[in-house]
Amino acid sequence: MEREAPLGVRERLDRPPVELGLRSIIYAFAVFLTLYTIYYAYTLFWVRVRFANIFLGVGVALFYLVQLLEKHVAQRDVDDLEAETADEGSSLSDYRLWEVADVVMLLAGAVVALAVAGYVELHFARLLEDAPIFGWTTTDYYVGVAAMLLVTDATRRAYGNVIAGVVVAGIAYAFVGPYLPGVLYHTGMDWQQVARNGAIGLSGVYGFILEVGTTAVAIFLMFAGMAKAYGLMDLVLNLSREVRNVLETGVVQVAVVGSMIMGSITGSAAANTATTGSFTIPMIKDQGVREDFACAIESVASSGGQMLPPIMGVAAFLMADILGIPYLEVVKAGLFPALLFYFSVGAAVHLIIHKFDWTTDAEGTFDKSILLDGIHYVIPLGILLYTLVVLRFSPLSAGFYTIVALVPSALLKRLIDAYREDDSPAEVAVDFTVTTFDGLRQGAVDMAPLVGILASLGIVITMVEQTGLGARISFRMLALAGGVLVVLLLLAMATSILFGLGMPTPAAYIVVAALVAPALTTSETFTIQPLTAHMFVFYFAMLSAITPPVAVAVAVGARIADSDFLQSCKQALRIGAPGFVIPFAFVANDGIIIWSSTTPIDLFVVLAGTVAVVVATVGYDGASDLGWPHRIVYLAIAGGAMFGPRMVQVGTAGLLVLTLALANTGRMPAVVTPSRQ
């Protein structure tokens, strides 16, 4: 969902009455949802599932109302509407009929969301304590069905038919299991069992995924919304422009870092590509970078942000809850792989920019005063790190204190600016209050699309568990692997990518965590730690965003860059190639994930192997283009550094360092290929 443009109070009121009324309702719902979350983080006044129920009702209602505003109420040019209907081959009257039906459905969805949440709240004690013993009423079952239909429709509207189809398939599988062959067979469920397990038994829709999403995930997204209201995106844009003046690679590296940071927060590679890519891709193209490379750079960076601690695109919180380990352990496990991926993407982009001579003059100066524009983020980010790492607070509590620190820090920054600009205290007070409430609104609006998908994924996980499908798939994968670890890992990789196609990263991870990860941890032949196994499948679920034929992040980026989709996929796979190797490397060198005395050596050899993969895929070593024989040599070095015996690892890593040093000091002959494609 796009952020509302900053408008003054008078401009906001100067709108048609229906639009103004709807915007006011959305504003009230969004501000309530954020304040409700912040207050819960402070008091923990309810059990988590009861809090999640109210959050679900208000969040889904907010999502439907925002959809209503953006699709039907906000003013659109009549000529654009006629052109749109003409392209679809329908008349304007037909479109109006469909529009009325959709408006009714959106309004009904908002009402049903509030009604379901209200019903569960009124009957919460009975549903939690008495119903499992004495049984559920017929009305309970109907409400459960309504909740499941509601979140499935919200998921369809927010993330498309693919992920909604997974939810529908999960529900259908519960019914048709007795008629399926082999590994898919189970005894089946009736509609009451589906309604009970899927929602009204306070599982499924109300399972741990929604609980984690409405607490740990929500508080950080709401912090991000407030940070954006206080100027975070403007700061990133201004820094990008300044760095372009002093780096030969120009704005590209800053765009990579900015996209990765924002990607960690959003939880969706496609959404991050759409938001940050809307201004990074044009800047990259303005530097002279070809369209397909501009799309690929942004897509890979946005996807890679999903692995960046401390949020890891929402997955960190989910992983900690699934494994039953402290959240900080997941953050530690994700740190070195993320740094390796960061480095690999940065190195690939650096080599590509120099290989194709897309560098800038870099003769300007960096305006250090720009850094002062972001000074008010230092204190809250310091509080975040201190509460998470030192005090080891829960993510919900750490997020609360971070928001508490952000508001006065931003106010102090605004007062200093006002003193310099000679603004009146009244103007400062009004402006800061409006900005703060805009931030409260933006955080909830950013969170709203995620509520439905987290709830619907709870249905999928419940059906997988209740039917025993996950255990049977794990058993079958182990049988196919035949006791060979590499085969099992390749099967897990392919399955994770397949289940991740078209899905947001949190959704993809939840599915593969239930279906694929157990195969890596239940074998008596292999000793893969659960955390390592979950990180392995998580990485490939994340990389599905740049993997054809769907490659949803590349598809979004290609529209912005106006580039060919398949060509952009090719370049994205070239830049992101190390990401497909790093998971295998940290299984072989698990000191990267589970810190120990071997971690420094593991990190060194995998880093060297990653560099070798980058050089091989880009076909450039910093001094000259490389032919295929030399690329194959670099791939062999990468394999030795990452997967060989320890002495071979260290030796090949040292050989790589020596080879690159000699190549870039001009002591090795250049190997030039005919074309730089």
Side-chain angles (χ1 to χ4, degrees):
M1 296 183 183
E2 296 182 359
R3 179 184 173 190
E4 182 179 280
L7 298 174
V9 175
R10 187 179 300 276
E11 290 86 350
R12 297 185 187 200
L13 295 176
D14 188 22
R15 286 180 168 129
V18 174
E19 181 179 348
L20 179 60
L22 182 56
R23 286 183 182 274
S24 299
I25 295 172
I26 290 172
Y27 211 99
F29 273 42
V31 170
F32 165 79
L33 194 60
T34 301
L35 293 177
Y36 173 64
T37 305
I38 294 172
Y39 183 67
Y40 180 75
Y42 176 64
T43 62
L44 299 176
F45 55 89
W46 276 339
V47 294
R48 197 163 63 165
V49 67
R50 190 170 186 178
F51 163 79
N53 169 60
I54 299 298
F55 194 107
L56 174 67
V58 178
V60 173
L62 174 63
F63 169 72
Y64 277 112
L65 292 175
V66 173
Q67 287 277 295
L68 179 63
L69 173 69
E70 294 180 346
K71 294 175 64 176
H72 303 294
V73 175
Q75 290 181 320
R76 287 182 294 175
D77 188 271
V78 175
D79 292 337
D80 291 341
L81 184 60
E82 290 178 342
E84 180 182 340
T85 55
D87 291 340
E88 295 175 357
S90 59
S91 67
L92 189 59
S93 59
D94 292 337
Y95 183 87
R96 293 293 188 191
L97 182 62
W98 171 88
E99 189 173 31
V100 170
D102 196 47
V103 167
V104 172
M105 291 179 65
L106 288 169
L107 287 172
V111 172
V112 170
L114 296 174
V116 168
Y119 181 89
V120 173
E121 170 59 25
L122 288 174
H123 299 269
F124 184 80
R126 178 178 63 82
L127 293 173
L128 181 66
E129 299 171 2
D130 298 338
I133 300 174
F134 301 106
W136 288 264
T137 67
T138 302
T139 305
D140 291 341
Y141 289 126
Y142 287 141
V143 171
V145 171
M148 295 169 67
L149 292 175
L150 179 76
V151 298
T152 304
D153 181 64
T155 299
R156 178 188 65 82
R157 291 178 180 274
Y159 293 100
N161 294 329
V162 173
I163 180 61
V166 171
V167 181
V168 172
I171 297 172
Y173 177 65
F175 291 108
V176 302
Y179 309 105
L180 297 177
V183 70
L184 298 177
Y185 173 84
H186 66 89
T187 56
M189 299 183 189
D190 57 30
W191 77 274
Q192 290 96 336
Q193 288 176 300
V194 170
R196 182 173 67 249
N197 293 320
I200 204 61
L202 299 183
S203 58
V205 167
Y206 299 101
F208 79 92
I209 300 176
L210 182 67
E211 294 178 12
V212 173
T214 55
T215 52
V217 175
I219 199 76
F220 278 94
L221 286 182
M222 290 166 178
F223 165 72
M226 297 185 70
K228 286 189 285 185
Y230 291 136
L232 177 60
M233 296 303 293
D234 294 334
L235 174 65
V236 172
L237 182 60
N238 291 334
L239 283 173
S240 300
R241 290 168 176 165
E242 291 301 318
V243 170
R244 183 174 182 174
N245 296 329
V246 295
L247 288 183
E248 284 189 347
T249 51
V251 73
V252 180
Q253 296 288 15
V254 177
V256 169
V257 174
S259 297
M260 282 191 166
I261 292 173
M262 295 306 298
S264 176
I265 298 171
T266 60
S268 170
N272 188 51
T273 304
T275 52
T276 61
S278 62
F279 64 85
T280 60
I281 289 177
M283 287 194 301
I284 294 172
K285 289 174 62 178
D286 287 344
Q287 187 175 313
V289 178
R290 208 168 67 197
E291 291 86 349
D292 55 334
F293 278 98
C295 167
I297 291 168
E298 172 60 36
S299 302
V300 173
S302 294
S303 302
Q306 312 294 294
M307 68 181 69
L308 179 65
I311 300 177
M312 294 170 64
V314 178
F317 311 113
L318 298 171
M319 195 179 298
D321 212 79
I322 291 172
L323 293 174
I325 61 176
Y327 162 76
L328 187 59
E329 290 300 312
V330 176
V331 173
K332 287 172 59 179
L335 179 61
F336 288 138
L339 292 178
L340 287 168
F341 188 80
Y342 250 123
F343 181 83
S344 69
V345 173
V349 169
H350 178 84
L351 293 177
I352 286 170
I353 295 300
H354 283 84
K355 177 179 181 178
F356 294 100
D357 196 23
W358 290 327
T359 57
T360 61
D361 293 335
E363 296 178 352
T365 59
F366 184 87
D367 183 4
K368 296 181 180 179
S369 64
I370 294 294
L371 297 175
L372 296 177
D373 291 337
I375 196 69
H376 54 294
Y377 298 116
V378 174
I379 294 176
L381 291 178
I383 294 291
L384 173 62
L385 293 175
Y386 182 73
T387 52
L388 281 177
V389 178
V390 179
L391 299 181
R392 301 209 170 197
F393 285 180
S394 69
L396 183 62
S397 296
F400 167 75
Y401 287 110
T402 304
I403 290 176
V404 169
L406 174 64
V407 176
S409 300
L411 176 58
L412 180 61
K413 172 67 166 54
R414 183 67 184 90
L415 290 173
I416 294 173
D417 291 343
Y419 176 77
R420 292 174 176 173
E421 298 168 5
D422 200 25
D423 291 340
S424 70
E427 290 177 343
V428 173
V430 171
D431 177 69
F432 185 78
T433 301
V434 170
T435 300
T436 300
F437 275 89
D438 283 349
L440 295 172
R441 169 199 175 276
Q442 187 62 42
V445 169
D446 288 344
M447 179 66 197
L450 199 57
V451 179
I453 192 173
L454 291 173
S456 61
L457 285 173
I459 302 173
V460 176
I461 297 305
T462 298
M463 298 307 161
V464 168
E465 292 176 349
Q466 292 296 319
T467 59
L469 178 63
R472 291 195 298 274
I473 287 181
S474 296
F475 178 79
R476 188 59 58 90
M477 286 181 63
L478 288 170
L480 288 173
V484 181
L485 177 59
V486 174
V487 176
L488 178 61
L489 293 176
L490 289 172
L491 287 172
M493 176 192 75
T495 308
S496 299
I497 291 175
L498 178 64
F499 281 119
L501 291 177
M503 292 192 187
T505 300
Y509 166 66
I510 287 296
V511 173
V512 299
L515 296 177
V516 183
L520 300 178
T521 58
T522 57
S523 172
E524 297 180 358
T525 307
F526 316 120
T527 56
I528 301 176
Q529 297 292 331
L531 183 54
T532 303
H534 277 254
M535 290 293 294
F536 182 90
V537 298
F538 163 64
Y539 261 56
F540 286 111
M542 178 273 299
L543 289 168
S544 67
I546 61 170
T547 305
V550 178
V552 61
V554 180
V556 173
R559 288 198 296 269
I560 299 173
D562 194 23
S563 63
D564 179 75
F565 171 70
L566 291 179
Q567 186 68 16
S568 299
C569 285
K570 173 185 173 182
Q571 308 306 347
L573 291 175
R574 174 185 290 187
I575 295 170
F580 292 86
V581 181
I582 289 172
F584 291 92
F586 63 60
V587 170
N589 308 270
D590 65 357
I592 295 174
I593 299 292
I594 302 170
W595 296 4
S596 65
S597 59
T598 65
T599 296
I601 299 177
D602 289 338
L603 188 59
F604 170 68
V605 296
V606 174
L607 176 62
T610 301
V611 172
V613 172
V614 170
V615 172
T617 54
V618 174
Y620 186 69
D621 63 3
S624 59
D625 289 358
L626 302 177
W628 279 108
H630 288 76
R631 293 190 185 196
I632 292 172
V633 169
Y634 274 106
L635 288 176
I637 291 175
M642 290 182 175
F643 307 111
R646 181 62 80 189
M647 293 303 296
V648 173
Q649 287 183 300
V650 175
T652 51
L655 176 63
L656 173 72
V657 173
L658 178 62
T659 301
L660 290 178
L662 292 175
N664 284 273
T665 54
R667 297 183 182 179
M668 290 182 66
V671 182
V672 182
T673 55
S675 174
R676 291 183 169 187
Q677 295 298 322

